[in-house]
Amino acid sequence: MGLTSLGGRRDSALLLWPLASLLLPLLPLLVLLLSALEGPRRLVMVVPEGPRVLSAPFELQDGWLGSPRLALTAEIPPNSSIELDVALLDGAGHTVLDLTKDGWRASGTWAEGGESGTWQEDDAGLALALRPGQSGRFQLAVQLQDLLDEAGQPLPHPVVVRGSVRNHSVEAPLLLFTAVLTLAVVQVLLLACYGVGRGRWVRRSQEADAAIRCEAGGSGLLRVGVVARWELPHDDPPLGQPPGPAALELRVSDALGRPRLQHREMVVVAHRSDDGDHWLSLRHTLHLGLPERGSYRFRVHLPEEFRTDGDAWELEWLQLSIEDGRRTAWPVPVLPLVGAVEGR
């Protein structure tokens, strides 16, 4: 009976549409990026007590990306309080929004355990998120009502009010949370599409052979996983280099015992070590295309031992796993069960 080798044809279980879901977590990040690309419009006003001061005109846009955001900060002396009237005027000078802001700034010194320093706290900022009925030009009108020291006495200094205008401001924490949550949903979808099959069987053997008989076949692929470990019969470090590739043989027979496939290939063996322990490991996956559903027997064989430069590596265990009805996102080599053919 001959041996087959891996074919290069594209498997019939290729499933591409779930990969499009990977774009979903990028959408909130794209919105955040587009918002960050917009630079803010800066405003500066020197406001004395009494008269109302108008800012330079600015544009507020109504659109799908975020919403306009106005931010104001009053620069006031330490240990003082302030009361500001702020109005938003449209292009015709009509008041669209009117509000009052009470602010304060406090500072001092502290000493404890031979150490000392200064502290400062303030609340002299104002932020507004709004959506105008239509895009247009607007102005801010700011009037200083009171600027008092800590004793409640008026201060004669004018107040510098700095502001910024952003037309496409978004809630960055909310968008980041949305991206993380969407990524979790996408991972569940990908697991449901690529990580779940109709059945799974596992057999671990202490010998160089392992076999499983099961009902398999139909839509999707059958995935054969082989994991093995070889160890030295003593605790001494290995003398030479690890061995070369191992010959892995896979035989598949149907319910009547007739051979349907014999496959042999050389698989790389890796040398592992941890805390003075040394072993050889092998991990390999094969994909099979079953023409029809039925009872099949899968048997794998690996070398029982390796001998290199005086080292005798002996097989510790061999594990065979069969997973039926699997889908794949990428083209993979498939072994079709069409009977044993002469291989190379």
Side-chain angles (χ1 to χ4, degrees), residues 318-343:
L318 165 64
Q319 178 175 295
L320 170 65
S321 62
I322 304 294
E323 298 177 80
D324 185 36
R326 297 299 299 267
R327 302 283 182 174
T328 177
W330 315 107
V332 295
V334 178
L335 293 170
L337 295 186
V338 293
V341 297
E342 293 295 326

Side-chain angles (χ1 to χ4, degrees), residues 114-228:
E115 298 182 356
S116 62
T118 61
W119 60 270
Q120 180 174 288
E121 295 180 353
D122 64 82
D123 178 17
L126 174 66
L128 297 174
L130 50 91
R131 184 174 293 277
Q134 59 183 5
S135 301
R137 294 180 67 82
F138 294 82
Q139 282 182 293
L140 285 175
V142 181
Q143 186 175 19
L144 177 62
Q145 294 293 346
D146 287 308
L147 178 62
L148 307 176
D149 59 17
E150 57 184 347
Q153 298 300 315
L155 294 173
H157 308 289
V159 174
V160 177
V161 178
R162 300 184 184 274
S164 65
V165 181
R166 296 179 63 94
N167 274 298
H168 303 291
S169 176
V170 295
E171 293 291 338
L174 179 60
L175 288 175
L176 292 175
F177 175 76
T178 303
V180 172
L181 183 61
T182 306
L183 179 60
V185 174
V186 169
Q187 289 177 335
V188 173
L189 173 64
L190 296 180
L191 179 62
C193 293
Y194 301 123
V196 178
R198 284 187 297 268
R200 186 173 188 269
W201 301 265
V202 179
R203 171 69 185 278
R204 176 173 285 203
S205 172
Q206 307 299 321
E207 306 296 333
D209 295 89
I212 292 176
R213 178 171 289 279
C214 59
E215 288 282 337
S219 62
L221 294 176
L222 185 136
R223 186 164 71 181
V224 178
V226 181
V227 182

